[in-house]
Structures are given as structure tokens and as C-alpha cells.
Amino acid sequence: MQPPEATGADGDGEADVRLDGVTKRFGTTVAVDDVTLEISRGEFFSLLGPSGCGKSTTLALIGGFDEPTAGRLVLGGRDVARTAAYKRDVNTVFQSYALFPHLTVFENVAFGLRRKRRPKGEIGQRVKDALELVDLSGFDERRPAQLSGGQQQRVALARALVNRPQVLLLDEPMGALDAKLRKQMQIELKRIQSEVGITFLYVTHDQEEAMAMSDRLAVMNFGRIEQVGPPQEVYDQPATEFVAGFLGASNLLPGRIADRARGEISLTTGGTIRVAPERIPDDRDEVKVGVRPEKLRLEPVDAPLPEGDNALDTTVQVATYLGVSHQYTLEGPGGARLTAYVQNKDTDAPGPGANVRVAWRPEHSFVV
């Protein structure tokens, strides 16, 4: 299946989707609040956030299922904020799949092409190619009730892709699948997107799902975008406390900037932590310094400390065996609570009540 040709008309370069100050109000409720966002052509982009954050509403605005209260919405160089859904070069895959139960797999996939009155030979070839792409060759004559949940999802995906849209919108399409199948489909969905080269805009509340598939992602909260970037960048260097807490687990310690040039922060609970100086904000002195649990090392309190490393003396409160790792709940200075994930390499793991040093490199710290 070939990717669609670009249809840009206003010189917008390689951007397939652009939102400029898009707002959506429902009465006094602001569902989408002044969102500005650009999604590149051929990108796998995810909108990530908790329920009610505005991500599905944003998708609905792009798909034409609703109109923005304010702002511009540009697809392929054309402002479509007031354009009907059927006139937009997009297709949508929903969580419910919305397959026609009385039609075969072939007829479900061919539905859009028949409405466009494509030639019979072209329909047959394009449906065949689409089913092959989603690994459903030979399923042509089955009906949705004869398929598993994962197979139904593949049919819905083939039905959307067969029309060769410029942008494919996916609204939590794996929400009805079990955990094992979700992981399998993550790999398949990324493979399919890479093969067809179409821009995918994926909506999910599942952090692992978004990080596994996305080229970039946007974290939303209360209708606003808190941070945009590649998954690793957003995870390792969250811009806000919300992002740090939503995208995985974080240890956040309150403090005050002591030396900007040296990247030193004095903790409220006592002691000094170092971070990369370029991560120190210029607009405030009161901050929280964070570190991800898997970046922490647990060491004896009298072990030599590499020069420049951060360290806190703690006491193990809870040690939980997780197979490949232990999860530790630790109490640090001033009653500070920390979480550490430590891979099970040694036979002797510290238990509750043990005094241990928590250490980590300054470059693994972030500031919010």
C-alpha cells in the first residue's frame, strides 16, 4: 500500500496537522484550552493524558466530529476548522471498532471505496493489499462475530487505511484488548505505520503504550499541553510536576537553588543535590528536584562515593520482590519518601530496617 501524496496548498512544509490556538468550550467548561501543536508528515504522534484531559476532544476536532470554539486547524496546508468531516482527508479508528456485523471482512474493508464508487477491480486489489498489511489474508469471507478482538481491530485498521488518508486518527483503539494482546498490537501498529508512511495521531491514557510506539508525544492536562517531545526526552526531563508524576514514577524532593552556575540545590530536608547546570530554571528559586526510581543505586552507607555523585542516607521501609527487580520504599532525611527499582543481580537484597545509601549521577536529576 502506497502512502498518500501530499496535498498541502499554503506552503506549510512537512506539517500534516497544525493547531493554532485551538479552544473548545462546552458551556462554561473548557475542554481544549488554547492548544498549539504541529505534527510532521509521516510521524507517529500520541496525545497522552488522564481521562477528561481533552485528548479525545482534540482528536474529534481534527476529525471533524466537532468544531472548535476558537483557533485554526490546518490539515495538509488547508484550514479545515469549519469543514465537514467527510471532506477531510482523515480516517478514524475507534475503541469500539464500529464494524458492520452483517458484512463480511471484505465488505467491511471495501465499504469506503464503494461509497467513492471506485472501480471493482481497484476495490478488490486495494482490499487484498490492506488485509495483507494487517496479516488477515484469507479472512475475507468471515464476519466480525467470527473474529477475536485483536482481529476485529485489524479489520477496523484495514478499513481506515484502504482509503489512503493523509492522517489516521486512533482513539484508544486497544482499550478493549487484554494486556498481552495490547503489547503484541503495539508492535504491529508501529510496523504498519512505518510501512505505509501515513501520519498517525494516537490517543491513549496508557503511558507505556505511548512511549513504545510514538516518535513524539504530547502530555495533556486540563485541556492544555504540558510538554511535547520524543518519549525518552519527556520521560527523562519532564517539564512539570504533573508530567513527572504521570509519565512513570518519580522521586521529587523540595529545595531551593543554592548555586545556579554549579547546579546546586539545597534540599528542604537537608543536604545538597547537584543537577546539570543547564537544567536550573532562571525564573524561580523554589523548585523540586527529581530522579526516576530506576536511576538510583543502593549501596552500603560507608561505601566509597564516586566524585560528584548525589547521595542520601536512607532506611529501607518496604522491600518488594518483583522477579527481575526489587522495589524499595525508603525513608530519607526529614522523613522524605523515595522509591527505588533495583535489578536483582545479587543474592543479598537489603530488607526492612536496613540502613542504605541512595546514590545517583547529577545528569539523572531533573528540576520542576
Side-chain angles (χ1 to χ4, degrees):
M1 181 177 293
Q2 297 298 316
E5 293 296 322
T7 57
D10 293 339
D12 285 324
E14 294 299 311
D16 258 356
V17 182
R18 193 174 76 234
L19 282 68
D20 292 331
V22 170
T23 297
K24 179 61 182 178
R25 298 187 182 91
F26 296 98
T28 58
T29 301
V30 181
V32 178
D33 190 2
D34 193 26
V35 166
T36 295
L37 178 67
E38 189 170 289
I39 300 171
S40 299
R41 184 167 304 167
E43 189 173 23
F44 197 124
F45 192 96
S46 291
L47 291 176
L48 174 66
S51 297
C53 72
K55 57 188 186 296
S56 288
T57 302
T58 302
L59 197 79
L61 295 174
I62 295 170
F65 306 114
D66 211 336
E67 288 190 4
T69 307
R72 294 180 74 232
L73 203 162
V74 179
L75 295 178
R78 185 165 61 99
D79 190 344
V80 297
R82 303 293 180 261
T83 302
Y86 72 92
K87 292 183 179 180
R88 304 185 188 193
D89 194 8
V90 301
N91 274 104
T92 306
V93 178
F94 299 100
Q95 182 175 339
S96 63
Y97 311 144
L99 300 178
F100 301 113
H102 61 290
L103 298 182
T104 64
V105 167
F106 183 96
E107 292 300 330
N108 264 283
V109 177
F111 184 80
L113 296 176
R114 293 201 191 283
R115 291 195 66 181
K116 293 179 180 179
R117 301 185 184 279
R118 306 306 302 174
K120 183 177 180 180
E122 179 186 342
I123 291 174
Q125 186 60 51
R126 286 173 64 171
V127 171
K128 179 179 179 292
D129 291 344
L131 291 177
E132 184 177 335
L133 181 68
V134 299
D135 290 331
L136 284 179
S137 296
F139 285 73
D140 311 50
E141 298 306 314
R142 297 195 190 185
R143 298 187 188 276
Q146 297 173 296
L147 304 175
S148 68
Q151 290 168 338
Q152 290 182 39
Q153 185 204 48
R154 290 169 189 262
V155 175
L157 187 59
R159 185 176 63 182
L161 289 171
V162 78
N163 293 303
R164 299 175 182 171
Q166 182 178 353
V167 180
L168 184 65
L169 309 176
L170 302 106
D171 191 3
E172 307 224 30
M174 293 193 275
L177 305 181
D178 62 58
K180 183 178 180 180
L181 190 54
R182 284 173 74 109
K183 288 186 178 294
Q184 293 174 351
M185 286 305 301
Q186 288 171 18
I187 298 171
E188 284 299 295
L189 201 56
K190 183 60 179 175
R191 173 190 66 81
I192 291 167
Q193 191 269 341
S194 297
E195 286 189 21
V196 298
I198 291 172
T199 303
F200 276 28
L201 178 53
Y202 193 94
V203 162
T204 182
H205 64 273
D206 188 306
Q207 305 96 313
E208 182 178 323
E209 197 169 89
M211 288 194 290
M213 295 187 294
S214 307
D215 298 314
R216 288 190 307 145
L217 56 84
V219 182
M220 293 190 70
N221 188 33
F222 292 116
R224 286 184 167 270
I225 291 178
E226 299 242 342
Q227 188 172 0
V228 178
Q232 184 173 348
E233 176 185 303
V234 176
Y235 180 82
D236 287 340
Q237 295 300 320
T240 67
E241 187 172 346
F242 172 80
V243 175
F246 185 78
L247 204 66
S250 291
N251 296 296
L252 294 174
L253 303 168
R256 185 177 181 84
I257 297 171
D259 190 323
R260 279 188 164 80
R262 292 173 54 84
E264 293 181 352
I265 298 174
S266 297
L267 298 181
T268 303
T269 54
T272 300
I273 296 296
R274 294 187 62 189
V275 305
E278 62 271 17
R279 294 173 185 165
I280 296 290
D282 295 325
D283 58 347
R284 62 190 184 280
D285 294 324
E286 303 292 333
V287 297
K288 289 186 178 179
V289 59
V291 60
R292 297 291 188 181
E294 69 276 8
K295 304 294 187 183
L296 300 178
R297 309 190 308 270
L298 265 61
E299 303 172 343
V301 292
D302 56 355
L305 183 69
E307 185 177 356
D309 274 15
N310 293 314
L312 294 173
D313 288 342
T314 67
T315 301
V316 176
Q317 300 296 307
V318 180
T320 306
Y321 180 75
L322 300 176
V324 297
S325 65
H326 265 83
Q327 176 178 316
Y328 293 96
T329 301
L330 309 157
E331 183 174 324
R337 283 296 181 102
L338 297 97
T339 299
Y341 303 148
V342 180
Q343 190 173 0
N344 286 324
K345 297 179 180 178
D346 303 317
T347 54
D348 296 326
N355 295 318
V356 296
R357 176 198 289 156
V358 171
W360 71 97
R361 297 291 303 161
E363 59 266 27
H364 292 155
S365 301
F366 57 85
V367 179
V368 295

